[in-house]
Amino acid sequence: MFAYDDVPYDTEANAETHPSAIATLARLSGLRPAAPRTARVLEIGCGNGENLIAAATYLPRARFVGFDLAASAIAAGVAAATASGTSNVELFAADVSDVRAAGTKDRAPGGFDYVVAHGMYSWVPRDVRADLFAVMRDALGPGGIGFVSVNALPGWELRRALRELARDATRDLEDPAARVAEALRIIEELARAGEGASGFRGALAAAAREYVAHVARATPPEAPFARYVFHDLLADVNEPFSVAGLGEDLARAGLRIVCEAPLFPSRAGAFDGLAADLARTGAPFLQVLVQRDDGELAAAPDASAAAELDLWADLTPAPGGGFRTTTGALVRPVGETGLARATRHAPGFVAVRDLADDDDARRELARQLLAAACEGVLTLVTERPGCATTPRERPCVAAHVRVRAGAAVERGAPSGVVTNALHRSFRVPWSELAVVLAMDGARTVPEIAAEATRRAAEVPSSLAGPLKGASTRDVQRFVDAVIDRFTRHLFLVEEDAT
Ligand SMILES: C[S@@+](CC[C@H](N)C(=O)[O-])C[C@H]1O[C@@H](n2cnc3c(N)ncnc32)[C@H](O)[C@@H]1O
């Protein structure tokens, strides 16, 4: 049985692979990427398709195609897309090698604008890797942009050591859950035993600690076990690449690197230093944007190009001064910086060029804002995403958000994951999901509160939280706060999309 049918992979939306994120980086590199709203997007090895469905629900005029060898994952994705009425996603089960033979032109004559292969290249055999890049090259239109992620050298060498030890120790175990448990036990032991040690032992212990933390982030609380470890560290194939090695493979397929994704502040305008940077930081993972080798040449990412972008400042005034970002970080802009100017438009979108009065000021501002975007404080986009940003009488979250909220609420899960129009995912408690589920464009705010309260009455207080046992006023206050947060965090669909 195929490993990914035997043990499902927990695929979620990945913000960095969204056409808008790719388009922004491509624009900073001097390219003219296709408009995300009407883009044609292909994902190779899309797993359950969640990455595509979550994007498609906000971009009804874009077209998303995905395929994967795991038929069970594709079936789950087709069911999810059908449940949310998402008609602009096509998912099919196929081996990338068969797709290479058949071609992709009938699915997007003229080519796809964006082709994503996340978490695949390092984990498939060499011949399949060649097929993957051939499909990407064949699928991309002349100005199209691809996205590729790999395990990266030299940082991954320490993980290779962890992998060898874990695979060796679990060789005789059949059950995937038992193998993963034993692998994690060994890695945790390495972390403990090498605590404070110097040299290789210390470095290996640090890598072990980092891997354990990484696994904790990659494993949903409801997963039966850390399935990620089974498909990553314990996988039959797991091949890391240097920047040069990846570049050679790409060149053989008629592709080349545009830039790293996401962009780090120190690397803007200095892409040549990527390999040296990877050696210095020891980062075990690398993501790059790629293009066809006959495309318009990309430049090194240039901060001044940020002046042509729009800015999303999701900053809420914090008690005691400063602002809170989406992730809860506190930001205190000082003086007349780009960030300080951006806060005057928060939360909301504003064109970067409108924040400065002349070209010199605009260039400096663009540099500062790009740095803030690299830190995750702000988001730069080539076009505003497909969502409403102001409150509505009858609030309506995207259909797929309701489907995911509904699934978690019905199961009685303590929390569930929902994804916004910028493709950012949030883990949200049951009580908030119950409110979100009622935000269907048909109910007024008091009706949403009534519906969420009705659901809450049927579940234990541990799930219902503030929806149960509180005064009507407190429930209303809680519901208002949830609706406000989901509006500010870009979950509402546009008026004409309902
Ligand atoms: C690590 S998962 C990544 C899934 C998804 N892209 C993500 O990032 O969550 C690798 C995926 O590649 C798929 N895959 C492996 N070999 C394949 C092949 N020959 N053709 C198509 N898909 C393949 C697996 O089924 C699996 O869903």
Side-chain angles (χ1 to χ4, degrees):
M1 194 179 197
F2 182 46
Y4 287 91
D5 279 316
D6 192 18
V7 176
Y9 191 80
D10 300 299
T11 292
E12 282 294 350
N14 180 338
E16 282 143 22
T17 67
H18 191 269
S20 177
I22 299 177
T24 300
L25 269 180
R27 185 73 72 78
L28 289 169
S29 305
L31 301 176
R32 285 161 295 174
R37 273 181 187 248
T38 48
R40 293 157 303 177
V41 182
L42 173 69
E43 184 166 0
I44 303 170
C46 65
N48 63 21
E50 178 59 28
N51 191 40
L52 298 175
I53 305 167
T57 194
Y58 294 98
L59 298 172
R61 289 164 58 221
R63 184 147 178 272
F64 296 83
V65 178
F67 69 87
D68 196 289
L69 184 53
S72 52
I74 290 293
V78 169
T82 307
S84 51
T86 313
S87 58
N88 54 334
V89 177
E90 180 198 347
L91 301 174
F92 62 100
D95 189 320
V96 70
S97 304
D98 296 335
V99 174
R100 177 181 190 174
T104 57
K105 294 283 181 275
D106 59 329
R107 292 195 149 84
F112 285 90
D113 304 305
Y114 300 97
V115 178
V116 173
H118 182 265
M120 202 177 155
Y121 198 71
S122 279
W123 297 265
V124 289
R126 183 195 293 258
D127 55 330
V128 180
R129 287 202 287 272
D131 290 335
L132 192 164
F133 277 170
V135 169
M136 185 172 275
R137 175 65 163 82
D138 172 66
L140 283 172
I145 314 280
F147 179 106
V148 177
S149 65
V150 291
N151 280 333
L153 290 173
W156 201 82
E157 285 300 358
L158 286 166
R159 289 217 178 153
R160 195 200 301 269
L162 298 177
R163 167 175 160 82
E164 295 305 327
L165 290 167
R167 272 176 64 89
D168 194 41
T170 59
R171 215 177 13 203
D172 298 331
L173 294 173
E174 288 265 313
D175 176 48
R179 285 191 74 197
V180 167
E182 179 60 9
L184 284 174
R185 194 190 64 72
I186 283 164
I187 292 169
E188 279 162 10
E189 199 177 289
L190 280 170
R192 262 194 312 275
E195 184 109 49
S198 58
F200 182 72
R201 257 184 86 216
L204 194 62
R209 268 194 304 282
E210 204 181 280
Y211 191 71
V212 170
H214 176 62
V215 169
R217 284 192 300 274
T219 307
E222 64 273 14
F225 62 98
R227 302 191 279 209
Y228 172 78
V229 178
F230 180 76
H231 291 298
D232 180 51
L233 215 64
L234 298 176
D236 286 341
V237 181
N238 195 331
E239 194 63 36
F241 292 86
S242 65
V243 175
L246 180 64
E248 280 164 19
D249 285 7
L250 286 164
R252 263 193 295 280
L255 294 164
R256 64 181 168 222
I257 294 177
V258 171
C259 66
E260 188 186 9
L263 188 62
F264 289 94
S266 62
R267 292 186 200 147
F271 178 66
D272 287 349
L274 176 60
D277 253 17
L278 285 179
R280 187 175 50 76
T281 61
F285 192 62
L286 172 66
Q287 303 181 144
V288 289
L289 301 192
V290 305
Q291 62 175 176
R292 281 168 45 159
D293 62 2
D294 59 354
E296 181 190 359
L297 258 184
D302 175 10
S304 62
E308 300 312 314
L309 301 176
D310 275 1
L311 168 76
W312 164 245
D314 178 19
L315 297 164
T316 341
F323 293 83
R324 289 257 170 230
T325 69
T326 312
T327 53
L330 188 64
V331 174
R332 287 185 196 277
V334 191
E336 240 332 79
T337 59
L339 192 54
R341 287 181 177 224
T343 59
R344 289 182 209 134
H345 300 266
F349 285 94
V350 61
V352 171
R353 82 186 81 81
D354 293 344
L355 291 174
D357 308 322
D358 60 60
D359 284 348
D360 281 348
R362 204 163 282 136
R363 260 193 299 279
E364 173 53 19
L365 187 91
R367 196 190 58 72
Q368 292 173 9
L369 292 175
L370 182 61
C374 290
E375 301 292 342
V377 174
L378 307 163
T379 303
L380 293 166
V381 289
T382 54
E383 67 181 30
R384 301 181 190 198
C387 61
T389 52
T390 46
R392 298 164 52 166
E393 197 193 335
R394 293 173 194 272
C396 185
V397 297
H400 186 58
V401 172
R402 267 178 283 131
V403 165
R404 293 217 62 192
V409 164
E410 298 295 337
R411 282 205 305 279
S415 63
V417 173
V418 284
T419 303
N420 75 1
L422 284 176
H423 220 46
R424 306 248 161 88
S425 297
F426 299 80
R427 184 163 280 282
V428 175
W430 190 99
S431 53
E432 295 189 18
L433 292 175
V435 176
V436 168
L437 186 51
M439 293 166 67
D440 58 4
R443 293 183 170 94
T444 60
V445 175
E447 286 165 351
I448 291 171
E451 172 60 10
T453 312
R454 183 193 66 72
R455 278 187 187 277
E458 294 165 3
V459 301
S461 302
S462 55
L463 280 185
L467 286 171
K468 203 167 177 170
S471 68
T472 316
R473 224 172 109 209
D474 283 349
V475 168
Q476 192 61 56
R477 213 176 275 151
F478 171 72
V479 170
D480 285 346
V482 173
I483 293 175
D484 176 61
R485 214 164 39 252
F486 275 79
T487 305
R488 279 195 299 103
H489 287 180
L490 308 177
F491 281 88
L492 293 199
V493 286
E494 287 169 326
E495 203 83 33
D496 60 5
T498 57

